[in-house]
């Protein structure tokens, strides 16, 4: 497996693969890989001849008060995980490689990005769309893999690919969890022992929401209330949002009919965690 730090190296490698008629899958990540990322790489390895994993903590998607500086990084470990999983190339650029001094073009979206995480992270999805568009142009994959863990991101990327005719298949992959239910996340490393325990409230609350829907509850307000009550019972938790939205438009719904995304963002101490489930009937 190769590690490339420049766009030129990636382009040259992909060109060779294309000449050999090989298909290419891309797994964009910010590194500090865990089983969630690995599930994406595994799926990509199954479905493509060659897999590129990008490891890039994208400064453009972090707000000024967010955790860009403290975001965990460990390229050596990441590379070992990628190699073990069967990736052919890790793309690990420095920020200067992706954003030269006079960089001034962005990919922005009028719909889908204003609610949910976009409310408290107003510049986040512009950064995500811009970097993912760049990665798509650099790697030109046949397929790209994204986790449902970041459900809004998955919906936004699908929308961008459709709007801008990227001709890349976007593959959504299920949420991988710890044994006790906590959704795996690089940010879980921020939690101390007490917070780690408190963080279980996210999956517990969603489970209750899901149970109520399975029992036939169709009033989104009642689902939101049930989830909110459970989260509020945890003293270390502070709700950013609890929402039930249409899975295609990400607009809030009051009556659950079509596919919906039930999504939450909760601060456990200073760490902001997200989780969700999708009901598609
Ligand atoms: P990140 O490194 O956090 O930007 O995540 C890179 C990709 O891995 C994104 O598409 C995430 O949705 C996905 N991902 C992160 N955590 C999980 C998880 N627990 N299960 C499935 N996919 C995940």
């Amino acid at each position: 497996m190769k590690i490339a730090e420049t766009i030129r190296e990636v382009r040259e490698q992909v060109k060779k693969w294309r000449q050999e008629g090989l298909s290419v899958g891309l797994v964009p990540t910010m590194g500090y890989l865990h089983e969630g990322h690995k599930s994406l790489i595994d799926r990509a390895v199954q479905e493509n001849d060659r897999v590129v994993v990008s490891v890039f903590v994208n400064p453009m998607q972090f707000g000024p008060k967010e955790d860009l500086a403290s975001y965990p990084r460990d390229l050596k470990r990441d590379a070992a995980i990628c190699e073990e999983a069967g990736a052919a190339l890790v793309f690990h650029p420095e920020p200067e490689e992706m954003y030269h001094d006079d960089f001034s073009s962005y990919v922005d979206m009028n719909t889908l990005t204003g609610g949910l995480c976009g409310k408290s992270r107003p510049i986040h999805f512009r950064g995500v769309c811009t970097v993912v568009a760049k990665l798509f142009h650099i790697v030109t994959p046949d397929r790209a893999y994204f986790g449902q863990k970041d459900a809004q991101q998955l919906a936004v990327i699908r929308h961008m690919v459709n709007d801008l005719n990227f001709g890349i298949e976007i593959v959504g992959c299920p949420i991988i969890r710890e044994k006790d239910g906590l959704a795996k996340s690089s940010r879980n490393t921020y939690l101390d022992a007490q917070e780690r325990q408190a963080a279980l409230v996210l999956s517990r609350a969603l489970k209750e929401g899901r149970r109520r829907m399975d029992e036939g509850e169709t009033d989104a307000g009642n689902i939101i209330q049930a989830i909110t009550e459970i989260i509020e019972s945890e003293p270390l938790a502070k709700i950013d949002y609890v929402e039930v939205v249409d899975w295609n438009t990400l607009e809030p719904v009051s009556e659950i009919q079509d596919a919906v995304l039930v999504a939450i963002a909760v601060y456990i101490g200073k760490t902001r965690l997200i989780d969700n489930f999708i009901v598609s009937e």
Side-chain angles (χ1 to χ4, degrees):
M1 189 193 72
K2 277 190 196 167
I3 299 178
E5 294 196 342
T6 64
I7 293 164
R8 186 217 283 241
E9 284 170 274
V10 177
R11 286 229 162 99
E12 281 172 3
Q13 180 60 75
V14 172
K15 195 172 165 196
K16 279 185 200 149
W17 290 336
R18 292 298 184 200
Q19 281 163 354
E20 294 169 44
L22 301 173
S23 62
V24 178
L26 170 67
V27 182
T29 83
M30 297 205 299
Y32 216 72
L33 304 182
H34 50 66
E35 292 291 323
H37 301 108
K38 192 175 167 298
S39 72
L40 271 53
I41 303 170
D42 287 343
R43 174 99 183 254
V45 167
Q46 277 171 24
E47 297 179 353
N48 302 273
D49 297 317
R50 295 290 181 270
V51 169
V52 179
V53 180
S54 59
V55 174
F56 180 57
V57 183
N58 175 34
M60 199 190 281
Q61 70 192 62
F62 286 79
K65 291 190 185 137
E66 293 182 354
D67 57 342
L68 173 62
S70 59
Y71 198 86
R73 293 159 166 92
D74 188 346
L75 182 65
K76 222 168 150 191
R77 190 172 145 273
D78 290 346
I81 291 170
C82 290
E83 180 150 36
E84 166 86 23
L89 180 70
V90 168
F91 178 41
H92 177 62
E94 291 297 323
E96 301 74 45
E97 177 70 5
M98 294 295 272
Y99 304 113
H100 45 74
D101 282 347
D102 58 347
F103 187 91
S104 67
S105 305
Y106 299 87
V107 180
D108 214 343
M109 196 173 286
N110 280 338
T111 56
L112 273 69
T113 57
L116 303 173
C117 290
K119 237 181 227 161
S120 60
R121 308 188 74 189
I123 59 148
H124 177 67
F125 288 106
R126 184 173 88 151
V128 168
C129 286
T130 302
V131 80
V132 170
K134 281 171 70 70
L135 290 168
F136 285 176
H137 286 311
I138 294 164
V139 180
T140 62
D142 298 282
R143 294 172 201 86
Y145 296 77
F146 292 86
Q148 189 202 304
K149 164 81 187 345
D150 301 87
Q152 186 175 17
Q153 171 174 279
L154 173 59
V156 164
I157 297 298
R158 283 209 167 114
H159 198 82
M160 178 186 82
V161 162
N162 192 43
D163 278 355
L164 302 182
N165 311 98
F166 273 95
I168 295 169
E169 184 189 341
I170 301 303
V171 182
C173 302
I175 301 175
I176 305 296
R177 298 176 179 281
E178 303 285 356
K179 281 202 183 73
D180 60 11
L182 178 65
K184 296 214 180 213
S185 165
S186 309
R187 289 192 168 97
N188 291 349
T189 53
Y190 296 151
L191 304 169
D192 67 24
Q194 203 189 353
E195 291 170 340
R196 172 67 183 73
Q197 194 58 30
L200 292 176
V201 77
L202 279 87
S203 52
R204 204 167 65 235
L206 286 177
K207 212 168 171 186
E208 175 60 15
R210 175 100 210 203
R211 194 186 67 76
R212 299 242 180 156
M213 284 171 73
D214 288 345
E215 275 182 353
E217 179 64 76
T218 57
D219 184 300
N222 289 342
I223 301 292
I224 291 171
Q225 195 187 340
I227 292 173
T228 301
E229 276 172 15
I230 293 176
I231 300 172
E232 284 180 342
S233 72
E234 169 51 62
L236 292 182
K238 195 173 147 274
I239 293 174
D240 179 2
Y241 66 76
V242 174
E243 292 212 40
V244 179
V245 299
D246 181 284
W247 174 223
N248 290 309
T249 63
L250 303 188
E251 292 296 327
V253 299
S254 46
E255 189 71 15
I256 298 165
Q257 287 164 338
D258 302 319
V260 292
L261 165 69
V262 180
I264 62 178
V266 177
Y267 285 93
I268 301 292
K270 285 190 175 133
T271 305
R272 185 174 175 280
L273 299 176
I274 57 172
D275 201 348
N276 68 81
F277 66 88
I278 294 167
V279 175
S280 54
E281 66 267 12

